[in-house]
Amino acid sequence: MSELVVVDAGRFATKTVLDGVRDWFPSVIGEYRDLHLGRTWTHQDMVVEFEGEKYYIGEVAKKESSGAATLMLDTKVTLDTKLLILTALARTLSDKSTAILVTSVPISSQNELEKLHLKKLLLGLHTITVNGETKTIHIPRVEVGIECAVAAWMLRKQKRGTYLVVDIGSRTVNFTTITNGQWVDRLSGTLPFGTETENISQTLFVRMVMAELSRRLKPIPPMVLMGGSAQNLLEHFHGYTQAVEVHHDPVYANAEAMYRFWKEELAHEAAKTVIEV
């Protein structure tokens, strides 16, 4: 029996959603080393062994790895992405599970070649050890969603007319315009900066976002903010417009929307198969 699992491997945090489960951990990977002074371990601290290499992932990597880092590359087709996603699966699935995996890329990376390479990176049988527990996970199918876009579309039953969803990330800011329940491609895209790429105040960061959005959208429609920093940035957006709110589930908005979307898609596929048979 295959389990539908969504893993949103963001640059700041990796979020996982499956039936009845939500999980997250910091997307920080560092080299492993023996600790001489000991440590009080938490659920966000992981020692990960994969393909002969040993890593710290999560909070322990931030504090104990001299080479701890979060990749800020344009592509997600990297070993880091594979490590974060497999770690997420090992944390939430039992050994010898089969997962239909859904993950995502920014709007600017939404092309068939990037999606194909990401699928090839993740498909197959993988064995990974997290905090001493070894699990083998089979991934026979990978689907790649579009960050921000699916979450924006999922709001269509709650919001009328035209609205703009802004997904504030560590490396990029995705924005999606919805009009009468439909995406507007020419009014959607990715800004090439995020909360961790600019060494500026929150006030100036929001000014950068609004400056870029105002060049692309005239006028800027009512906005919905997503992302882990959305709530903290809301007051700064109020300096430009009062027609802005925070998504009701800003941290898990992408992952939860993709889970609901693909659960419906799989149900339709199953129903179609029954009819055809």
Side-chain angles (χ1 to χ4, degrees):
M1 181 69 177
S2 297
E3 180 98 45
L4 174 63
V5 186
V6 173
V7 182
D8 178 8
R11 291 334 199 267
F12 177 76
T14 297
K15 286 83 65 178
T16 310
V17 173
L18 60 153
D19 188 21
V21 176
R22 284 184 170 198
D23 184 46
W24 81 275
F25 58 88
S27 298
V28 182
I29 300 174
E31 83 284 356
Y32 171 85
R33 66 182 184 83
D34 291 330
L35 301 182
H36 302 294
L37 300 179
R39 177 181 177 82
T40 300
W41 291 78
T42 73
H43 192 55
Q44 306 302 326
D45 299 320
M46 288 162 287
V47 176
V48 174
E49 298 175 64
F50 182 66
E51 295 184 341
E53 297 289 343
K54 203 168 185 178
Y55 310 87
Y56 280 141
I57 293 182
E59 289 292 341
V60 65
K62 290 183 184 180
K63 295 179 173 64
E64 300 294 355
S65 297
S66 58
T70 298
L71 283 183
M72 293 293 178
L73 299 175
D74 290 339
T75 181
K76 281 194 171 184
V77 186
T78 64
L79 174 61
D80 278 36
T81 298
K82 189 173 186 177
L83 276 171
L84 294 172
I85 289 178
L86 292 181
T87 298
L89 295 178
R91 282 166 62 94
T92 54
L93 296 176
S94 58
D95 186 26
K96 296 182 173 57
S97 290
T98 298
I100 296 175
L101 173 65
V102 180
T103 190
S104 60
V105 293
I107 293 172
S108 60
S109 300
Q110 173 62 13
N111 63 74
E112 292 307 313
L113 189 59
E114 176 81 2
K115 289 165 65 175
L116 177 63
H117 288 163
L118 188 55
K119 289 179 180 181
K120 286 183 176 180
L121 179 74
L122 299 168
L123 284 168
L125 198 65
H126 308 280
T127 298
I128 188 168
T129 301
V130 178
N131 289 342
E133 186 175 3
T134 301
K135 294 182 180 179
T136 298
I137 309 293
H138 181 214
I139 306 175
R141 176 174 176 178
V142 176
E143 298 293 346
V144 182
I146 314 171
E147 293 170 9
C148 184
V150 177
W153 185 70
M154 280 295 178
L155 290 174
R156 71 196 186 284
K157 294 180 181 178
Q158 303 170 27
K159 304 190 72 63
R160 303 293 181 181
T162 298
Y163 58 94
L164 175 69
V165 175
V166 181
D167 184 6
I168 303 163
S170 297
R171 193 188 70 84
T172 61
V173 175
N174 287 291
F175 62 97
T176 303
T177 301
I178 301 286
T179 296
N180 298 323
Q182 298 292 321
W183 288 302
V184 183
D185 187 81
R186 68 181 180 84
L187 301 179
S188 304
T190 302
L191 305 182
F193 58 85
T195 56
E196 293 191 16
T197 66
E198 307 299 321
N199 187 25
I200 57 177
S201 67
Q202 291 184 340
T203 301
L204 291 177
F205 176 79
V206 171
R207 183 178 182 274
M208 284 179 63
V209 173
M210 291 301 296
E212 291 298 321
L213 292 177
S214 65
R215 287 199 309 110
R216 294 165 167 80
L217 297 95
K218 299 182 184 299
I220 297 177
M223 294 191 294
V224 180
L225 306 180
M226 290 168 38
S229 60
Q231 192 63 56
N232 292 335
L233 296 175
L234 178 61
E235 63 176 301
H236 301 289
F237 279 94
H238 278 157
Y240 300 93
T241 176
Q242 291 300 307
V244 57
E245 63 185 282
V246 174
H247 190 284
H248 64 274
D249 191 9
V251 174
Y252 283 94
N254 271 320
E256 186 66 38
M258 286 189 291
Y259 182 80
R260 289 167 53 197
F261 179 87
W262 280 103
K263 189 173 182 179
E264 292 178 9
E265 285 294 305
L266 293 175
H268 291 157
E269 288 179 12
K272 182 179 179 183
T273 301
V274 170
I275 292 171
E276 289 178 346
V277 170

